[in-house]
């Protein structure tokens, strides 16, 4: 099938590359000329394991191309994905100006002779946006007709589908080809049939790690329900993390071990063991934005989403739990040097949007501490956005040198195998705060560290 993906951020690029790999003819459109030039050269503008290799093979097979020409993309695609960002506004609601601009641009490039198109909302958009996008597409079409003096021309034939994404940064390729479910929201059978045809290779697990598993469930809903599925899923997972963090804080006070508690409750099939890892809170581009947007939507409809607000409040408090633990062991932080292991909001990504590390850096600087940091990706990439008050070292041992304490912020796998016995020798005081309960306590204590975890 002929596919156009508009927007080559995290979701758009992964979607376009994976659809091209599964056999479709994909054009990815972006208005950033430098970014398009980079992608045409075979380089990915984001870090995601396996993405660059798939980009290269799909482009060489003639299945994937990149352009800044929206007109060419709209003409090419039977299916047009809107995959631009919807960042949070200060009010908590989603900023939909980029979705609006793309929808208007699609309309301006449609004609009655364009043939039937399916416009797919892949961006995470406020509930009710499906009908709104249809209206904006028609507005763009009408405006173009007026400019050309062809008002009264037959309207183009198209339908809008909501197709939320459930990709985890760091494992997005796996998630695309091994999804738990595919959600399609529309009132048009024709559009839904085309979308199911598009996803058929993935549904039958042609590219899955375990191809013999049953077909991927396809959930068919109306537009608003599909949009709600995305918000509800992320809000539930965020709440689950906040819940186990609340339990961890109680465990700290009563002498229980949250890891053992999480193991015990996670074996209950009604609860499950995922997202029960206590630590210093959630961040990234999805959970904070989506929970805030759902709270704002509830407020718009005169409902006070108390549980979701509590999940956010717990998470905000959890961000600084490492500061409290540092103060318990070091007392005064002014004049002390603290090293951070990890900067990104989770491992296997270069994404620092709403990362807990940023809160830690801000608070440590406010309290007069010197901050050093090492991250497997950020340290090597030269990216220093928002990191003016931290010494980013290129080696974990250099980072530990002269530190009064270390804080594990991101649970990168390589942090489990660092030479901690060597690092401890160069520190002023051998203290480590395990902000993810990720490290081997016995190993660290044998290396000479005073180990402090979260909730145990």
């Amino acid at each position: 099938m002929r596919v156009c993906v508009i927007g080559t951020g995290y979701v758009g690029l992964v979607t376009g590359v994976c659809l091209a790999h599964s056999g479709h003819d994909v054009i990815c459109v972006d208005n950033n000329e430098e970014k398009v030039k980079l992608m045409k050269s075979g380089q990915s503008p984001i870090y995601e394991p396996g993405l660059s290799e798939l980009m290269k093979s799909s482009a060489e097979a003639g299945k994937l191309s990149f352009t800044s020409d929206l007109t060419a993309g709209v003409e090419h695609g039977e299916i047009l994905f809107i995959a631009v960002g919807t960042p949070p506004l200060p009010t908590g609601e989603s900023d939909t100006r980029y979705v609006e601009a793309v929808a208007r641009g699609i309309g301006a490039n449609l004609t009655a002779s364009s043939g039937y198109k399916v416009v797919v909302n892949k961006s995470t958009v406020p509930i009710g946006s499906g009908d709104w996008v249809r209206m904006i597409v028609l507005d763009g079409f009408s405006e173009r007709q007026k400019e050309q003096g062809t008002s009264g021309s037959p309207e183009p034939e198209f339908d809008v589908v909501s197709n939320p994404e459930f990709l985890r940064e760091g494992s997005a390729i796996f998630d695309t080809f091994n999804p738990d479910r595919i959600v399609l929201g529309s009132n048009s059978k024709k559009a839904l049939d085309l979308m199911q045809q598009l996803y058929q290779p993935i549904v039958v697990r042609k590219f899955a790690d375990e191809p013999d598993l049953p077909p991927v469930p396809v959930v068919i809903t109306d537009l608003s329900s599909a949009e709600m599925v995305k918000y509800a899923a992320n809000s539930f997972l965020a709440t689950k993390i906040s819940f186990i963090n609340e339990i961890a804080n109680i465990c700290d006070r009563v002498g229980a071990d949250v890891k053992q508690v999480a193991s015990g409750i996670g074996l209950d099939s009604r609860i499950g063991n995922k997202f029960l890892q206590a630590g210093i809170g959630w961040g990234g581009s999805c959970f904070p934005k989506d929970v805030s947007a759902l709270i704002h939507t509830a407020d718009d409809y005169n409902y006070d989403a108390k549980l979701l607000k509590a999940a956010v409040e717990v998470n905000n408090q959890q961000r600084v739990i490492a500061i409290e633990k540092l103060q318990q062991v070091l007392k005064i932080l002014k004049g002390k040097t603290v090293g951070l292991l990890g900067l990104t909001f989770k491992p296997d990504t270069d994404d620092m949007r709403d990362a807990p590390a940023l809160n830690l850096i801000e608070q440590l600087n406010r309290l007069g501490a010197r901050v050093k940091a090492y991250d497997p990706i950020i340290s090597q990439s030269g990216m220093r956005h928002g990191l003016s008050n931290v010494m980013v070292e290129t080696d974990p041992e250099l980072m530990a040198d002269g530190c009064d304490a270390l804080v594990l912020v991101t649970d990168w796998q390589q942090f489990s195998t660092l030479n901690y016995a060597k690092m401890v020798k160069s520190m002023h005081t051998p203290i480590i705060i395990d902000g993810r309960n990720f490290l081997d306590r016995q190993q660290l204590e044998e290396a000479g560290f005073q180990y402090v975890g979260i909730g145990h």
Side-chain angles (χ1 to χ4, degrees):
M1 301 178 73
R2 299 188 313 278
V3 178
C4 170
V5 179
I6 305 163
T8 59
Y10 185 81
V11 172
L13 186 56
V14 170
T15 298
V17 169
C18 288
L19 287 175
H21 182 71
S22 63
H24 302 295
D25 294 316
V26 180
I27 290 181
C28 291
V29 181
D30 201 286
N31 60 4
N32 186 324
E33 294 280 1
E34 288 300 312
K35 194 175 181 183
V36 170
K37 184 178 178 181
L38 180 72
M39 292 184 292
K40 281 184 173 180
S41 72
Q43 298 181 65
S44 171
I46 60 173
Y47 176 80
E48 177 63 34
L51 183 60
S52 295
E53 292 81 0
L54 285 190
M55 272 183 65
K56 183 177 180 182
S57 62
S58 297
E60 289 175 350
K63 293 293 185 181
L64 179 66
S65 60
F66 301 94
T67 183
S68 57
D69 186 350
L70 179 60
T71 300
V74 173
E75 288 177 353
H76 168 83
E78 305 166 73
I79 297 179
L80 312 174
F81 282 91
I82 300 177
V84 292
T86 53
L89 293 168
T91 58
E93 61 187 316
S94 296
D95 185 349
T96 57
R97 77 180 88 171
Y98 307 113
V99 174
E100 180 177 353
V102 170
R104 198 175 299 278
I106 289 173
N109 286 287
L110 291 181
T111 65
S113 60
S114 295
Y116 179 72
K117 306 279 188 180
V118 179
V119 178
V120 183
N121 267 342
K122 199 68 173 174
S123 301
T124 301
V125 291
I127 298 154
S129 293
D131 293 334
W132 173 74
V133 164
R134 181 175 184 83
M135 178 184 72
I136 299 299
V137 171
L138 289 174
D139 285 349
F141 172 76
S142 298
E143 290 163 7
R144 183 66 177 270
Q145 299 310 300
K146 288 178 183 177
E147 290 176 6
Q148 296 178 339
T150 56
S151 296
S153 299
E155 287 185 353
E157 188 185 3
F158 73 96
D159 284 304
V160 177
V161 171
S162 175
N163 175 214
E165 55 82 20
F166 305 100
L167 305 179
R168 298 168 297 169
E169 293 192 35
S171 57
I173 304 297
F174 175 87
D175 290 346
T176 301
F177 292 129
N178 303 269
D180 295 317
R181 75 288 203 198
I182 294 172
V183 177
L184 301 172
S186 180
N187 298 320
S188 165
K189 184 178 184 304
K190 185 176 183 179
L192 291 169
D193 287 346
L194 279 173
M195 291 300 293
Q196 290 186 79
Q197 182 183 339
L198 177 78
Y199 283 122
Q200 188 61 17
I202 293 174
V203 169
V204 299
R205 301 188 184 275
K206 184 177 179 182
F207 302 97
D209 281 22
E210 297 183 59
D212 295 331
L213 289 175
V216 175
V218 178
V219 180
I220 304 296
T221 75
D222 57 79
L223 278 165
S224 294
S225 295
E227 292 160 351
M228 179 60 94
V229 166
K230 170 66 173 179
Y231 283 111
N234 277 350
S235 295
F236 180 84
L237 295 175
T239 302
K240 194 173 182 182
I241 297 170
S242 286
F243 170 80
I244 198 63
N245 282 334
E246 187 116 281
I247 296 299
N249 294 336
I250 299 172
C251 285
D252 258 337
R253 287 158 174 78
V254 302
D257 186 339
V258 74
K259 294 180 74 172
Q260 295 179 26
V261 173
S263 176
I265 66 175
L267 290 170
D268 188 325
S269 61
R270 298 167 299 175
I271 297 173
N273 60 7
K274 294 181 178 179
F275 289 83
L276 286 180
Q277 182 180 343
I280 55 175
W282 38 267
S285 62
C286 292
F287 284 4
K289 175 174 71 73
D290 291 353
V291 178
S292 294
L294 189 52
I295 291 170
H296 189 274
T297 297
D299 287 341
D300 283 344
Y301 289 86
N302 300 311
Y303 181 76
D304 185 12
K306 294 179 180 178
L307 180 62
L308 298 182
K309 290 178 180 178
V312 172
E313 183 181 352
V314 169
N315 192 60
N316 290 339
Q317 293 173 349
Q318 206 68 19
R319 291 291 186 91
V320 294
I321 200 77
I323 300 292
E324 294 178 11
K325 290 184 176 294
L326 284 169
Q327 290 174 323
Q328 289 169 8
V329 291
L330 291 176
K331 308 306 180 187
I332 303 300
L333 297 183
K334 186 183 291 290
K336 300 293 198 306
T337 300
V338 178
L340 305 182
L341 281 166
L343 289 167
T344 56
F345 87 94
K346 64 177 291 187
D348 298 316
T349 181
D350 58 359
D351 197 342
M352 286 197 59
R353 286 176 288 183
D354 204 33
L358 298 177
N359 297 85
L360 287 175
I361 292 167
E362 178 185 359
Q363 292 298 318
L364 287 168
N365 282 323
R366 183 182 66 82
L367 292 168
R370 175 180 295 162
V371 186
K372 301 173 74 177
Y374 169 78
D375 184 276
I377 294 295
I378 303 300
S379 291
Q380 310 305 325
S381 67
M383 294 183 293
R384 297 291 187 270
H385 305 302
L387 298 174
S388 56
N389 294 322
V390 55
M391 299 169 56
V392 180
E393 301 286 6
T394 57
D395 181 273
E397 293 176 11
L398 282 175
M399 184 273 296
D401 187 29
C403 283
D404 295 282
L406 302 180
V407 180
L408 181 114
V409 181
T410 314
D411 47 347
W412 286 90
Q413 190 58 44
Q414 50 263 62
F415 288 165
S416 65
T417 57
L418 295 179
N419 189 343
Y420 288 103
K422 185 175 181 181
M423 292 166 67
V424 77
K425 293 176 181 177
S426 64
M427 295 177 62
H428 287 155
T429 49
I431 296 167
I432 189 161
I433 311 295
D434 187 353
R436 299 293 179 185
N437 288 344
F438 173 71
L439 301 173
D440 185 320
R441 177 175 192 152
Q442 181 179 345
Q443 176 189 351
L444 285 162
E445 290 179 342
E446 288 175 355
F449 275 99
Q450 178 184 345
Y451 174 94
V452 180
I454 307 293
H456 71 105

